[in-house]
Amino acid sequence: MTTTPSSATPSSAPQLSNTMLAPSPACLYRHSVDPDAMASVFEQLVSEVTSALSTDALAGALDAGIDSMSAILRAIPILEGKLLERGISLIATINPDLVVLTDNLRLPVTPAAMQLVEKNAVHLYRSLTLDADSGGRKSYTPDLLILNRPTRIAHVIDVKRSLSSYEVSRIAALKSRMLAAALVVPDLLYKEHRRLVAEDVRVVIVNAESQRTDIDGGIWPLGHLDHLLEINGAGAAMTRLRELFRDKITANWTEARQLHSGPDLRSGGGGQGAATADETNERTSLAALGPANDDDPAKTAGHATMPRIGFAKVPGSGLR
């Protein structure tokens, strides 16, 4: 983990398209993270998250039968989602300007807020805010709420390991719910989090698989995490963390199969039939780590500036 000060301020933000941002200059932001320096911390985090998928647990599931094995396989995308959330929170601590909130983030989504979002263009409600105590039966719980104190920009973040199974209508509904929930964020931060002030609230879906990217529409690939956290190398570090997670699961799965199959498989004495079974099981393990459904998770006071609501933007891009 490293923090690299820089006296230079970037003269301009990366060039922007709706599907990809241009590569960031090495010193675009004042703080940096080195994935190699984070290796031991990442390995510890992966070990904690994958403790429920140890070699013994996987071998036991194989012995117990298909129902137990199905439960194990369903747990993999859930655990990867938790890993992504914890990884982003960990890396964000490198930037001392950021306040990262992950607990007790149930944001009310009132009918009035939904009507504002669904029946109006963003610029028409961008400077509105609602009372966080307004209540209501519906709510939205973001994975992360990150506030940059100097810029007073808050990001409401939903982390998805894959959007491949999401229909367009489902993504649109999620974004509407996020925008409606964002209307209460300035009031929530000020009242419940030590008078924190947000003048701009931006929503973003971080898609780890990086498909279906829509920069202007608030869907960003994991590789562009640098621009959300203003930390050079944040996206590359999270990519490394995912690789460690997959390597750990694959290693545990291989060892579990060896324990389950006995010494013939471990010594390679099973002949051609054993090799074929090994290849088949390996394909199964990789498929288990592929795209899967991600379940959705369950007025400013004290200052004169009205908050603004909208999708995430690149710092310094000049877009509003």
Side-chain angles (χ1 to χ4, degrees), residues 16-18 21 29 122 126 146 153-158 175 178-179 182 200-207 213-221 224-230 308-320:
L16 183 67
S17 74
N18 201 35
L21 297 177
Y29 301 114
V122 174
R126 183 160 169 72
I146 299 179
I153 296 174
H155 280 104
V156 177
I157 302 175
D158 198 304
K175 290 197 289 187
M178 293 176 71
L179 286 168
D200 208 335
V201 183
R202 303 173 180 180
V203 306
V204 59
I205 300 170
V206 176
N207 182 19
T213 300
D214 181 5
I215 300 297
D216 292 341
I219 302 177
W220 286 32
H224 292 347
L225 193 64
D226 302 38
H227 307 298
L228 288 181
L229 305 182
E230 299 190 25
R308 292 176 300 208
I309 310 299
F311 291 120
K313 304 295 182 185
V314 181
S317 64
L319 299 176
R320 295 290 184 266

Side-chain angles (χ1 to χ4, degrees), residues 4-9 30:
T4 304
S6 172
S7 59
T9 301
R30 293 187 299 114

Side-chain angles (χ1 to χ4, degrees), residues 46 50 76 80 83 161-162 208-209 239-253 285-291:
V46 168
T50 60
I76 292 176
E80 185 175 0
L83 179 82
R161 62 181 297 276
S162 174
E209 291 292 347
T239 299
R240 175 75 63 85
L241 182 61
R242 290 190 76 210
E243 291 172 352
L244 290 174
F245 173 84
R246 290 168 178 252
D247 290 346
K248 181 68 172 178
I249 296 297
T250 300
N252 288 355
W253 176 246
S285 68
L286 293 176
L289 296 176

Side-chain angles (χ1 to χ4, degrees), residues 188-314:
L188 178 79
L189 290 176
Y190 190 80
K191 288 181 177 178
E192 299 185 15
H193 294 278
R194 300 181 181 181
R195 299 298 191 262
L196 293 175
V197 176
E199 296 178 354
D200 208 335
V201 183
R202 303 173 180 180
V203 306
V204 59
I205 300 170
V206 176
N207 182 19
E209 291 292 347
S210 300
Q211 84 284 53
R212 305 180 74 167
T213 300
D214 181 5
I215 300 297
D216 292 341
I219 302 177
W220 286 32
L222 188 64
H224 292 347
L225 193 64
D226 302 38
H227 307 298
L228 288 181
L229 305 182
E230 299 190 25
I231 299 173
N232 303 312
M238 284 302 301
T239 299
R240 175 75 63 85
L241 182 61
R242 290 190 76 210
E243 291 172 352
L244 290 174
F245 173 84
R246 290 168 178 252
D247 290 346
K248 181 68 172 178
I249 296 297
T250 300
N252 288 355
W253 176 246
T254 300
E255 293 177 8
R257 286 189 292 107
Q258 291 174 346
L259 289 174
H260 179 71
S261 301
D264 287 345
L265 181 59
R266 289 196 297 271
S267 63
Q272 183 62 37
T276 302
D278 183 78
E279 293 169 358
T280 301
N281 286 329
E282 189 65 29
R283 287 195 296 270
T284 302
S285 68
L286 293 176
L289 296 176
N293 288 341
D294 286 292
D295 293 331
D296 291 341
K299 190 161 16 146
T300 305
H303 63 97
T305 303
M306 294 301 293
R308 292 176 300 208
I309 310 299
F311 291 120
K313 304 295 182 185
V314 181

Side-chain angles (χ1 to χ4, degrees), residues 140-151:
Y140 167 71
T141 302
D143 294 315
L144 298 155
L145 177 55
I146 299 179
L147 173 70
N148 188 310
R149 283 175 294 190
T151 64

Side-chain angles (χ1 to χ4, degrees), residues 174-187:
L174 172 60
K175 290 197 289 187
S176 293
R177 192 161 68 253
M178 293 176 71
L179 286 168
L183 292 169
V184 307
V185 167
D187 190 52

Side-chain angles (χ1 to χ4, degrees), residues 114 117-118 160 163-178 205 212 214 219 296:
M114 287 301 298
V117 170
E118 293 177 348
K160 298 296 183 190
L163 287 176
S164 62
S165 63
Y166 278 60
E167 297 179 355
V168 174
S169 59
R170 188 179 176 190
I171 296 175
L174 172 60
K175 290 197 289 187
S176 293
R177 192 161 68 253
M178 293 176 71
I205 300 170
R212 305 180 74 167
D214 181 5
I219 302 177
D296 291 341

